[in-house]
Amino acid sequence: MESTPRTALTRSDLRTLALAALGGALEFYDFIIFVYLTATIGTLFFPPDTPDWLRQLQAFGLFAAGYLARPLGGVLMAHFGDRDGRKRMFMLSVLLMAVPTLLIGLLPTYATIGYAAPLALLLLRILQGAAVGGEVPGAWTFVAEHVPPRHVGLACGTLTAGLTAGILIGSLISAAVVARCTPEQMLDFGWRIPFLIGGVFGLFAVFLRRLLAETPVFIELRRRGELERGLPLRTVLAGHGRAVLRSMLLTWLLTAAIVVVILMTPTLMQKLFAIPAEQALAANSLATAALTLGCVVFGVAADRLGAGIALFAGCLLTLLATYGLYTGATTSATHLATWYALAGFCVGVVGVIPVLLVRLFPAPIRFSGVSFAYNVAYAIFGGLTPLVVVMWAQKWPLAPAHYVAALCVLGMLLAVTGATRSAHETVQRATV
C-alpha cells in the first residue's frame, strides 16, 4: 500500500539542497574562472605577434571547446545515472573537474613549450567540459527527485543559485587577483592562483557529495523493477523527440542569458566601451550576486504561479534590463553597477528552465533526456555564442543585447504557446 505523498520539505530535504548547491558552486567555479582570464590567457598561450582581436577570439574558442565536449560526458554519465544511480555520477563529475583545474594552474605557457601549450590547454578544457556535461543535468535531476513535487521550483532554483554562486566566487577571486597584481605579475604568476584554488575547491566538493543519499525516486524505481533496461538515450530519441526539441530551445535561452550577460559582458565592456577591468569585474560581482538571488526568486515563482508565467515575466524583464545595461554603457559607465545588478537579477529566470526540463521527461529516462537535450544545445549555442557575439560586436556594440533580446522573445513565445507544458508535470513518477 502506497504512502501518502509528501507535500512539505523535511530537514533532510533542506540538507540535501544545501550540500548539493554548495558542491555545485565549487565545481562550477572551476569551469567558469577561465572566462574571467581570457585576455591574459590569450596573451600567454598564443604567439606574441598575434593581433589582439584574434588572440581574444582564440581564447574564447578555447572556452567554447569546453562546451563542445559536454554532450559526450553528459550522455555517458546520464546513461549510468539512469541505470545505476544518480549519486555515483554526481560524485564522479566533480572529481573529473578538480584534476584538470589543478593542471591548468600548473601548465607551461607558449613562451616555454610553444604550440604544445594551447593544445594542452585545449585538452584540459575538453575534460572540464565533459565533467560539466554530467554535472548540471545530473544536479537538477538529483534535487528535483529529492523534494515533493510542489517544491521542485525551489529545489531547481536553489541548485541553479548554487551553480551561479560558483560564478560569483570566480568573479570575486578574479577581481581580487587583478586588483592586487600588477599587469606584469598577472602574466607571471597571478593568473595561476584562481586555478590552483579551484583545484582545492573541487576536491572539497568530492567530500561533500559523499554525504548525500540516493534520490527516493530512483530507489523506488529500482524497487519496482522499472529502471530502463536498454539504452536510455535510445528511448529518449525514439519516443520523446518533441520534449528534446523544447528542451533544446529552452537551453538556447539559458545560454544567451548566462554566457552573454554574465560571462562575456565584463570582457566586452572593457573592449567595446573602454571600461576599466576593475570596474567591470566589480559590477559583474554585483550582477552575479543578484543572479544567485534571482534564481531562487524565479524558482519559487514557478511553484506559486506556474512555470510558464514565471518564464514569460522573467524573459521580458531580462530583455529590458539587458538593453538598459548596454545602452547605458555606450553613454556613461556611471550607473554600470546598478544596471548590471538589475540585469543579473532578471537573468535569474534561468532558475525556471530546469523545472521545465525535468518535467518534460519521465523518471526512468529523465537524466538521459535532460542531459542529451541540454548538452547538445549548450554545445551548439553555448559554444558558438561567444564567437558570434565577439564578431558582431566589432561592428555593432549593441549586438550582445540584440542577441539576448532575440532569445528572450523566443522564451516568451514558448511560454504563451504552451510549449513548456508536458505530460510529466509531476516529477515523482512513484509515490515515495
Side-chain angles (χ1 to χ4, degrees):
M1 185 174 180
E2 294 185 342
S3 59
T4 303
R6 294 189 299 122
T7 59
L9 289 172
T10 66
R11 180 174 299 180
S12 176
D13 293 332
L14 295 176
R15 176 176 175 272
T16 296
L17 290 181
L19 289 177
L22 181 56
L26 298 182
E27 179 171 357
F28 227 62
Y29 163 88
D30 287 356
F31 185 70
I32 290 300
I33 49 176
F34 187 96
V35 77
Y36 293 112
L37 300 167
T38 50
T40 301
I41 288 172
T43 300
L44 291 171
F45 283 84
F46 297 100
D49 58 349
T50 304
D52 181 65
W53 69 269
L54 182 57
R55 277 204 302 267
Q56 182 185 357
L57 194 63
Q58 289 172 326
F60 274 123
L62 289 174
F63 176 69
Y67 289 106
L68 296 176
R70 282 185 168 197
L72 178 61
V75 167
L76 287 175
M77 291 187 195
H79 172 83
F80 292 104
D82 279 331
R83 295 282 300 270
D84 302 324
R86 322 300 200 196
K87 180 184 174 180
R88 290 183 180 180
M89 297 302 104
F90 206 35
M91 292 178 60
L92 178 61
S93 65
V94 72
L95 180 62
L96 291 179
M97 177 64 70
V99 175
T101 303
L102 273 174
L103 292 179
I104 290 176
L106 300 171
L107 197 63
T109 63
Y110 180 87
T112 303
I113 60 174
Y115 283 105
L119 291 177
L121 184 57
L122 174 63
L123 175 61
L124 294 174
R125 285 297 296 171
I126 289 174
L127 291 176
Q128 286 186 321
V132 170
E135 165 67 17
V136 178
W140 285 334
T141 301
F142 189 85
V143 298
E145 291 184 352
H146 260 289
V147 301
R150 63 178 295 184
H151 295 295
V152 169
L154 172 63
C156 289
T158 300
L159 191 282
T160 307
L163 300 179
T164 59
I167 301 176
L168 175 60
I169 297 170
S171 175
L172 292 173
I173 290 181
S174 299
V177 171
V178 169
R180 286 166 172 76
C181 293
T182 65
E184 294 75 19
Q185 290 173 329
M186 278 297 298
L187 294 173
D188 184 24
F189 66 86
W191 69 274
R192 298 183 184 274
I193 296 174
F195 290 102
L196 297 176
I197 293 174
V200 177
F201 278 177
L203 295 176
F204 181 58
V206 175
F207 171 75
L208 291 178
R209 294 283 166 88
R210 289 175 60 88
L211 302 176
L212 297 172
E214 183 56 84
T215 75
V217 172
F218 184 85
I219 292 173
E220 184 68 5
L221 289 173
R222 182 167 54 194
R223 186 186 69 81
R224 294 184 176 186
E226 295 180 357
L227 296 177
E228 181 67 28
R229 299 185 182 278
L231 292 175
L233 182 57
R234 179 182 298 172
T235 303
V236 169
L237 296 178
H240 301 273
R242 182 175 297 181
V244 169
L245 177 60
R246 294 175 181 177
S247 298
M248 292 180 70
L249 292 176
L250 289 167
T251 301
W252 190 7
L253 166 62
L254 183 148
T255 64
I258 295 293
V259 174
V260 178
V261 180
I262 302 300
L263 302 183
M264 293 184 66
T265 290
T267 300
L268 291 171
M269 288 291 173
Q270 297 172 52
K271 299 293 183 180
L272 299 177
F273 309 117
I275 294 174
E278 295 84 353
Q279 183 181 3
L281 287 173
N284 177 262
S285 297
L286 290 175
T288 311
L291 167 62
T292 302
L293 175 62
C295 287
V296 178
V297 171
F298 280 101
V300 172
D303 287 334
R304 300 290 179 82
L305 305 176
I309 294 175
L311 178 67
F312 183 91
C315 286
L316 178 59
L317 292 173
T318 300
L319 184 154
L320 297 174
T322 303
Y323 271 123
L325 172 62
Y326 273 84
T327 55
T330 61
T331 57
S332 172
T334 304
H335 303 291
L336 176 67
T338 301
W339 274 111
Y340 208 171
L342 179 60
F345 178 83
C346 295
V347 168
V349 68
V350 299
V352 179
I353 291 176
V355 180
L356 299 168
L357 299 189
V358 298
R359 287 175 175 171
L360 285 169
F361 300 95
I365 58 168
R366 177 171 295 131
F367 196 167
S368 293
V370 174
S371 182
F372 176 79
Y374 173 82
N375 283 304
V376 170
Y378 223 128
I380 297 171
F381 304 122
L384 294 178
T385 290
L387 305 179
V388 171
V389 170
V390 167
M391 288 189 293
W392 285 355
Q394 303 298 321
K395 295 184 178 181
W396 305 291
L398 291 182
H402 296 330
Y403 184 87
V404 173
L407 270 299
C408 286
V409 171
L410 172 63
M412 288 187 284
L413 289 175
L414 290 173
V416 299
T417 58
T420 57
R421 299 173 187 168
S422 75
H424 308 286
E425 289 294 323
T426 299
V427 171
Q428 271 70 2
R429 163 75 175 266
T431 302
V432 294

